[in-house]
Amino acid sequence: ELGEGSALKAANSPSNSLAGIVAGLENSSAAPHSQRITSSGKPAPATAGTGAAPQPSGSLDAASTAPGAAPLPPDAPKDQGERNQLARANVPGVDAQKSSPGTVASKNPSAGSGRAKIKPSRGGMARREGPPIEVRGLAFTAQSDTRARLDILTTGKAVATVRYLADTSQLAIDLQNAFLHFPLTEALTRILGHPLVRQAGAAMIGDAPPVTRILLDTGRVVGFAVNAQNDRLSLDLRLPRSANGALADKLIVVDAGHGGSSSGAVGRGGDGVFYERDVTLGIALKLRAALEACGARVVMTRDRNVDVGLYDRPRLANDIGADLFISIHNDSNGRPNSASGTSTYYHMGDPSGRALAACVQQAVTAVSGLPSRGVLSDGIMYANGFAVLRVCQMPSVLCEVAYINNATDRRKLVSDDFQQRVAQAMCDGLRAYVEGGGALPAHNAPLPMPDPEMDKTPPAPPDGTDSGDGG
């Protein structure tokens, strides 16, 4: 929660300052090359670098996986970049309508000149001011079948936005004010064949200012943490918690928001008066049936219209050792019919919660016919996030299915058929998180892709007034 005029700086944490060094000489006559995506969405032909200085002898060979890098221990703390992730909707002057979660913004030394400042752009994406940096290569380290590390080698500290592209299992890392200059000997698309990352690609998707995109085809949702350093941006990839085995093996707590004296948000119109507590219970009961049909064990925080304490909900999940927690809500705001769509929240910067939210959000929006308002950190609503997520000891999400004070959304919400489709989609999203695939279909086009003009669908700002989730 930063005040006006503040910026976020990624720290160099000794706990995760792991670097793999590859010694050797590089052919200095090999000119770097770059590739960009044209307006048609197809890669432009690779061209030789113009005036770009070759890498000096003894530099890190970007095409190599660092063989001497020791794997991070299983209990290694989350890196500082992850803990300091900021939802840009909280930054004054940022157009939150076009923002997306997972940004690491830093005030960093630029390549060869003083300090680079980070300011919000008109499009809502953090941008790096000062001389551009260069992206010089990728180094991928497979630490185990469930953990890997991608180092994006740069000539200065990078500012990046990391998110899943809509309706795909492709993780996009967009580096601001960064040119792509790989050595000609290095392929722009690389088959990795790791259980978490099948292939990686690089392309320029913007020219003024330059934006380089690294695209990872993950095949399934993964947890990730970001750390920006002087010469690289590192992405720590991992299998999320409880994302193993089968859905039938899991114990899941389903939380129907509100209840009893807490009616939640209210929708009024010519069709009548409807209360959030009733709609959420209808969806939750149908979700329980769908999960049980898959063999999963389900515990409800409530199965009728009764009061349940805010902290009693996550406490129940913790006491029974649940694997997953999902809370169901409906959104609302101060102006009826002014907002529509679905949002799914995870707690602060938790990689597993973010992965679970991505699965649920994509599954629900695929069947709802409503806009996707994004996968969002609960830190953009409250300084400490939602109480029901903050207290949970397992991966947890809160899904705002639709706006109950929007006539179109409300007609859907009170429909038994819509509730059934949403409940089944939530079940499918939970299955995709646990078993892989499903809610995040792989894109069939070769990397890098897609047309950047078709990818401008970042989350909308949260404008709900349903505060029953607690701060």
Side-chain angles (χ1 to χ4, degrees):
E1 298 279 338
L2 301 182
E4 187 166 5
S6 300
L8 192 65
K9 181 178 180 180
N12 292 322
S13 171
S15 65
N16 58 40
S17 55
L18 177 67
I21 304 299
V22 180
L25 299 177
E26 185 177 2
N27 181 4
S28 60
S29 64
H33 73 282
S34 64
Q35 187 177 45
R36 64 183 179 85
I37 297 288
T38 64
S39 59
S40 65
K42 296 182 179 181
T47 58
T50 56
Q55 283 186 293
S57 298
S59 64
L60 183 67
D61 178 3
S64 302
T65 296
L72 291 175
D75 57 349
K78 297 176 184 177
D79 62 42
Q80 191 70 21
E82 174 190 326
R83 289 196 297 269
N84 287 342
Q85 280 182 348
L86 173 69
R88 286 184 306 283
N90 275 350
V91 182
V94 174
D95 179 6
Q97 179 68 31
K98 297 184 179 180
S99 67
S100 60
T103 298
V104 178
S106 53
K107 188 181 291 185
N108 302 316
S110 62
S113 65
R115 301 184 65 82
K117 297 181 179 179
I118 307 305
K119 290 187 177 181
S121 69
R122 293 180 59 188
M125 184 179 292
R127 57 188 172 92
R128 184 184 189 280
E129 287 201 338
I133 63 173
E134 291 182 358
V135 178
R136 284 299 187 91
L138 305 176
F140 183 78
T141 306
Q143 297 166 334
S144 70
D145 284 348
T146 61
R147 190 156 185 155
R149 182 185 183 94
L150 179 74
D151 288 312
I152 303 170
L153 309 178
T154 61
T155 57
K157 277 192 175 179
V159 175
T161 302
V162 185
R163 63 190 175 92
Y164 275 102
L165 299 182
D167 303 321
T168 75
S169 60
Q170 292 182 345
L171 192 63
I173 306 104
D174 291 343
L175 291 88
Q176 309 306 309
N177 202 18
F179 284 105
L180 177 61
H181 283 291
F182 279 14
L184 283 173
T185 55
E186 183 174 351
L188 290 169
T189 300
R190 192 177 310 167
I191 304 299
L192 300 174
H194 188 270
L196 297 184
V197 188
R198 297 187 293 208
Q199 61 177 324
M204 286 194 66
I205 62 170
D207 295 318
V211 178
T212 292
R213 169 169 292 179
I214 308 299
L215 199 58
L216 305 182
D217 185 357
T218 60
R220 63 165 298 156
V221 69
V222 299
F224 63 86
V226 185
N227 188 24
Q229 301 179 35
N230 285 328
D231 61 350
R232 70 193 62 208
L233 185 131
S234 300
L235 208 66
D236 181 29
L237 305 166
R238 68 197 74 169
L239 187 70
R241 290 177 292 150
S242 298
N244 60 331
L247 185 63
D249 302 328
K250 304 302 181 183
L251 173 58
I252 301 169
V253 169
V254 175
D255 174 43
H258 303 282
S261 60
S262 174
S263 64
V266 181
R268 294 183 175 89
D271 49 350
V273 179
F274 299 92
Y275 299 100
E276 181 182 2
R277 67 187 177 198
D278 302 320
V279 176
T280 60
L281 180 59
I283 297 173
L285 291 171
K286 294 176 177 64
L287 175 56
R288 177 177 67 178
L291 288 169
E292 289 179 341
C294 296
R297 293 172 293 154
V298 180
V299 174
M300 304 278 289
T301 57
R302 68 180 181 97
D303 58 7
R304 58 193 185 281
N305 188 25
V306 295
D307 287 289
V308 182
L310 188 61
Y311 287 93
D312 291 336
R313 301 165 190 259
R315 188 177 295 118
L316 168 65
N318 294 339
D319 288 346
I320 65 175
D323 297 296
L324 302 169
F325 177 96
I326 179 168
S327 185
I328 302 170
H329 283 257
N330 302 145
D331 225 330
S332 182
N333 66 358
R335 290 191 303 135
N337 301 312
S338 64
S340 170
T342 305
S343 307
T344 305
Y345 291 87
Y346 59 94
H347 182 54
M348 306 303 281
D350 176 44
S352 296
R354 177 173 49 215
L356 179 58
C359 287
V360 171
Q361 177 74 6
Q362 291 206 18
V364 171
T365 55
V367 303
S368 69
L370 296 174
S372 173
R373 299 180 67 85
V375 174
L376 305 169
S377 168
D378 59 0
I380 67 178
M381 296 295 287
Y382 299 100
N384 294 318
F386 290 135
V388 292
L389 302 184
R390 181 173 67 247
V391 179
C392 279
Q393 297 171 358
M394 71 292 303
S396 56
V397 295
L398 185 150
C399 183
E400 299 275 9
V401 177
Y403 275 75
I404 199 169
N405 71 330
N406 178 294
T408 300
D409 286 27
R410 184 169 60 250
R411 280 194 295 271
K412 290 175 175 286
L413 281 171
V414 300
S415 161
D416 188 73
D417 175 69
F418 179 81
Q419 292 182 13
Q420 182 62 52
R421 284 189 286 117
V422 167
Q424 184 59 55
M426 288 180 173
C427 178
D428 294 341
L430 292 170
R431 182 194 290 276
Y433 176 85
V434 172
E435 301 178 4
L440 289 172
H443 202 289
N444 293 323
L447 296 175
M449 50 71 64
D451 184 344
E453 295 301 316
M454 301 296 291
D455 182 37
K456 296 182 178 178
T457 56
D463 54 1
T465 56
D466 170 26
S467 58
D469 321 312

